[in-house]
Amino acid sequence: MEPMDGLVGEAGDDGAPARASRVRAVVAELLDLDELVGEILIRIRPGEPACLVRASLVCKRWHRFLSDPNFRRRYRAFHKMQIQMALDYADVLLETAEAGQGLPDRSIAEPGKCRGAYGSARAHRAAVEYELDTHDNADLFVNLQLHKKRSKIVEIVAAKDIIFVLAQSGLATAFNRATNKRIAFLNLSSNEVIRTLFYNKNNNSFITVSVCRSDDFNTLKCRTTPIEYIRRNQLDAGFPIFESENLMWPGFVEFDDVNGKALTYSANDGIYKVFDLKTYSFLYSIQARNVQDIKISKGIMLLVYVRAHSHVQLKILSIEDGKPLTSLMVSLKRNKRIDFIEKFNEKLLVKQQDENLRIIDLRSCDQIEVDATKFITPSRFVFLNESNIFLSFRSETVSAWNLRGELVTSFEDHLLWDHDSSLNNIYITSNEGVLISYCKSEDGTVAPIGSINMSQVRTGKCITKFAANDPTLSVVPRTNSCTTQSSVLSTVQEVPVDVTALFYNEDMNEIYTGNSKGLVHVWSNRS
């Protein structure tokens, strides 16, 4: 191959056409290498499936690449995700393009209106495959009055083929997705009320945080059990963790999946402690004197001290060993409440009541302000470290912002069902490409219709949604978790209307939704 220097000639240079010809020849030679083409195509962002289609229309060879099952396996492995629905959508666009209809302007977001090429779309043939009941034969186990009543599902977590479900009553259940049978109740006794669940990917175990009637439900207890033992219903193989800590209210425990750490706070001692989530070994402690809040982000811990009249002291520690990295004072407007102080990568976000959002660069101390009329204090944040953007949840709306204070996108057709923007009904894929939420689907009637929406994070475009008025939705005949038939059955119209928790299992390519009756529904695509 010829050296690629001096490729661009100056104006009036007679050698410019020849050099341009050499450039074209070099590019053609490079693009003729199958390995190079494969490396280019595999880097197309999975959150934008239409780009896959445009690439497939370049030539027949690229089309063969994208249609090859081996390429698709490499694509999923490269992006560490199994977002098959996006690839299914790409299939729909390919079918449309091959039929000579061009690329559609929208995704399959309007049920019942997309026919023809969309008729065979797997992404549009959503079905409720199974209905799992947390209360099938529960009366054989529970004594505590709280557990006896059906209550809504508040949390769903999956570890490959095991689904963990927590009801508001504190009853936690593990189901085997392969058999669709209940493995066990995770409550070790009928007096235990489980408050939260955590799948510890650092050592492939499952952690429950609970309280017990014996101490009037005042002290948190943490227990870990390897996933394989749960699969075999050997819950006695688990063991308590953080036993040395007094987690009586207002003490707490917080799990940090990003850094692989656990943070505990003992109100009696006034001490924060950090533990390693792989071994559960103690790492270091922090005196809580004058510390009002602790924020954890990738690689660091931010200590927010009690504010003075016109400033607040901040200290940034290394999350690994607790050593101070920097300390700073942030000026404040007097008599204005602090709405939030957050650290995201190398930026500090500061917002006071009715004031502009300030984005402060911690290296240069440069500051960007976003007008208070444009950025209103949200009820929830989600920071996307790899994408370098953050999602702002306020009331029923979602928006994405970058660290230059610019609005990246407002999500179209994505009106959240809950006014409090509960994160139990929201899932973001591990590659930060797709947002899945329980939303309101407006169809012109007075009452909104529930729907499960999947949208691209960077563009805000709706990829697909499953709504109660979608005529293609179906409910497969129910498989019970026990031989006893449940007294509660769901129709296809009921399932998207009543959703209290949501989870997307990237390994199984399934969406799980829980409802107010203690039922869990398994959604999948039927080809």
Side-chain angles (χ1 to χ4, degrees):
M1 185 179 299
E2 297 181 17
M4 298 181 65
D5 54 349
L7 292 178
V8 181
E10 296 179 359
D13 187 350
D14 293 337
R19 280 190 288 269
S21 176
R22 289 202 302 273
V23 171
R24 288 192 292 270
V26 169
V27 171
E29 182 179 347
L30 289 174
L31 292 181
D32 196 45
L33 299 174
D34 286 354
E35 296 84 357
L36 181 60
V37 172
E39 291 303 312
I40 292 172
L41 296 179
I42 206 170
R43 283 165 171 79
I44 296 177
R45 292 181 61 86
E48 300 178 0
C51 292
L52 294 170
V53 183
R54 295 188 181 96
S56 74
L57 297 177
V58 171
C59 61
K60 291 183 179 180
R61 191 158 60 94
W62 283 33
H63 181 86
R64 286 196 299 270
F65 261 110
L66 290 164
S67 303
D68 188 351
N70 291 327
F71 171 81
R72 293 199 166 201
R73 280 193 292 272
R74 287 184 59 218
Y75 186 83
R76 297 189 193 103
F78 182 83
H79 293 282
K80 295 180 178 153
M81 43 88 81
Q82 291 275 344
I83 187 68
Q84 182 67 36
M85 291 183 180
L87 291 175
D88 287 341
Y89 174 49
D91 285 344
V92 174
L93 296 178
L94 281 170
E95 291 173 10
T96 306
E98 289 171 351
Q101 300 175 35
L103 291 175
D105 294 330
R106 287 180 55 89
S107 66
I108 49 179
E110 297 182 16
K113 294 185 180 179
C114 299
R115 288 291 177 259
Y118 293 131
S120 60
R122 285 172 287 168
H124 197 45
R125 290 182 175 179
V128 180
E129 293 282 355
Y130 295 98
E131 182 178 82
L132 307 174
D133 191 351
T134 59
H135 274 263
D136 269 354
N137 282 346
D139 56 334
L140 301 179
F141 166 78
V142 299
N143 275 327
L144 198 61
Q145 192 65 32
L146 284 172
H147 292 157
K148 291 183 178 180
K149 292 183 179 180
R150 284 189 173 273
S151 62
K152 70 178 182 180
I153 304 301
V154 295
E155 194 170 356
I156 302 174
V157 181
K160 298 190 182 300
D161 61 341
I162 301 181
I163 306 173
F164 299 93
V165 182
L166 178 63
Q168 192 173 46
S169 64
L171 185 67
T173 314
F175 293 95
N176 188 322
R177 181 64 184 92
T179 62
N180 297 304
K181 293 183 179 180
R182 185 177 61 227
I183 299 173
F185 293 110
L186 301 181
N187 307 64
L188 293 183
S189 75
S190 59
N191 295 322
E192 182 183 19
V193 174
I194 295 178
R195 291 300 189 203
T196 191
L197 310 173
F198 179 74
Y199 172 40
N200 187 1
K201 299 176 184 177
N202 297 274
N203 58 16
N204 198 32
S205 66
F206 201 76
I207 298 175
T208 58
V209 180
S210 60
V211 293
C212 292
R213 183 170 58 180
S214 57
D215 68 347
D216 295 326
F217 309 109
N218 280 327
T219 305
L220 297 176
K221 303 290 184 182
C222 302
R223 184 177 180 84
T224 182
T225 308
I227 291 294
E228 284 308 310
Y229 286 104
I230 295 176
R231 192 188 307 277
R232 297 196 291 264
N233 193 13
Q234 297 176 351
L235 298 186
D236 54 356
F239 56 90
I241 52 177
F242 315 136
E243 283 187 288
S244 61
E245 306 311 299
N246 184 350
L247 300 180
M248 184 177 293
W249 189 89
F252 65 82
V253 59
E254 178 180 329
F255 301 107
D256 171 25
D257 198 26
V258 174
N259 298 295
K261 302 292 185 292
L263 174 69
T264 66
Y265 172 65
S266 172
N268 285 353
D269 303 331
I271 295 177
Y272 295 95
K273 291 186 179 180
V274 177
F275 295 82
D276 181 81
L277 270 180
K278 187 171 184 178
T279 63
Y280 304 115
S281 57
F282 168 72
L283 298 178
Y284 57 89
S285 62
I286 303 168
Q287 286 289 339
R289 188 180 303 110
N290 295 326
V291 176
Q292 185 173 7
D293 198 4
I294 288 186
K295 311 279 189 177
I296 297 177
S297 60
K298 189 175 182 180
I300 66 96
M301 181 180 295
L302 174 66
L303 274 57
V304 182
Y305 288 85
V306 176
R307 68 172 289 180
H309 289 295
S310 59
H311 67 273
V312 61
Q313 181 186 358
L314 307 177
K315 185 179 289 187
I316 298 177
L317 312 179
S318 166
I319 193 70
E320 295 301 328
D321 54 19
K323 292 182 179 179
L325 299 177
T326 187
S327 182
L328 63 156
M329 295 284 189
V330 176
S331 61
L332 299 173
K333 295 289 182 69
R334 292 175 180 268
N335 303 320
K336 290 295 184 78
R337 180 188 69 239
I338 297 177
D339 287 345
F340 63 81
I341 298 177
E342 300 282 350
K343 182 185 178 298
F344 181 30
N345 292 341
E346 299 299 325
K347 307 291 185 179
L348 189 70
L349 281 63
V350 181
K351 180 75 169 66
Q352 287 185 262
Q353 179 185 8
D354 301 326
E355 296 294 327
N356 294 344
L357 168 66
R358 290 186 285 163
I359 303 177
I360 304 169
D361 190 300
L362 292 174
R363 295 184 179 226
S364 65
C365 294
D366 292 341
Q367 181 171 292
I368 298 172
E369 291 199 13
V370 183
D371 192 276
T373 60
K374 295 181 179 179
F375 185 91
I376 303 174
T377 302
S379 56
R380 297 282 190 280
F381 276 114
V382 174
F383 294 101
L384 305 181
N385 292 295
E386 300 303 322
S387 303
N388 215 31
I389 62 176
F390 62 93
L391 301 184
S392 169
F393 297 85
R394 177 177 170 80
S395 186
E396 302 166 339
T397 61
V398 189
S399 56
W401 297 77
N402 62 29
L403 292 178
R404 297 186 298 274
E406 300 166 340
L407 178 65
V408 176
T409 185
S410 294
F411 288 76
E412 67 173 30
D413 194 15
H414 207 104
L415 195 64
L416 299 177
W417 186 273
D418 294 322
H419 287 274
D420 65 351
S421 304
S422 171
L423 294 183
N424 287 337
N425 279 338
I426 294 167
Y427 185 93
I428 300 169
T429 55
S430 58
N431 76 322
E432 302 179 352
V434 177
L435 171 68
I436 306 174
S437 309
Y438 181 49
C439 297
K440 298 177 181 178
S441 179
E442 305 289 350
D443 68 345
T445 61
V446 175
I449 297 171
S451 69
I452 299 169
N453 290 28
M454 302 177 64
S455 299
Q456 298 169 4
V457 169
R458 284 201 167 270
T459 66
K461 298 291 184 182
C462 183
I463 300 173
T464 188
K465 68 179 180 180
F466 313 139
N469 63 344
D470 187 342
T472 67
L473 288 184
S474 62
V475 173
V476 176
R478 181 172 179 267
T479 297
N480 290 310
S481 58
C482 298
T483 56
T484 304
Q485 185 78 359
S486 169
S487 60
V488 180
L489 297 174
S490 301
T491 66
V492 67
Q493 290 79 20
E494 292 172 336
V495 177
V497 171
D498 181 16
V499 174
T500 59
L502 179 150
F503 186 87
Y504 175 57
N505 188 335
E506 300 188 39
D507 292 309
M508 303 286 289
N509 186 38
E510 295 175 335
I511 294 174
Y512 308 138
T513 59
N515 67 13
S516 60
K517 300 172 184 176
L519 300 175
V520 175
H521 295 102
V522 178
W523 296 74
S524 63
N525 290 330
R526 305 191 72 199
S527 55

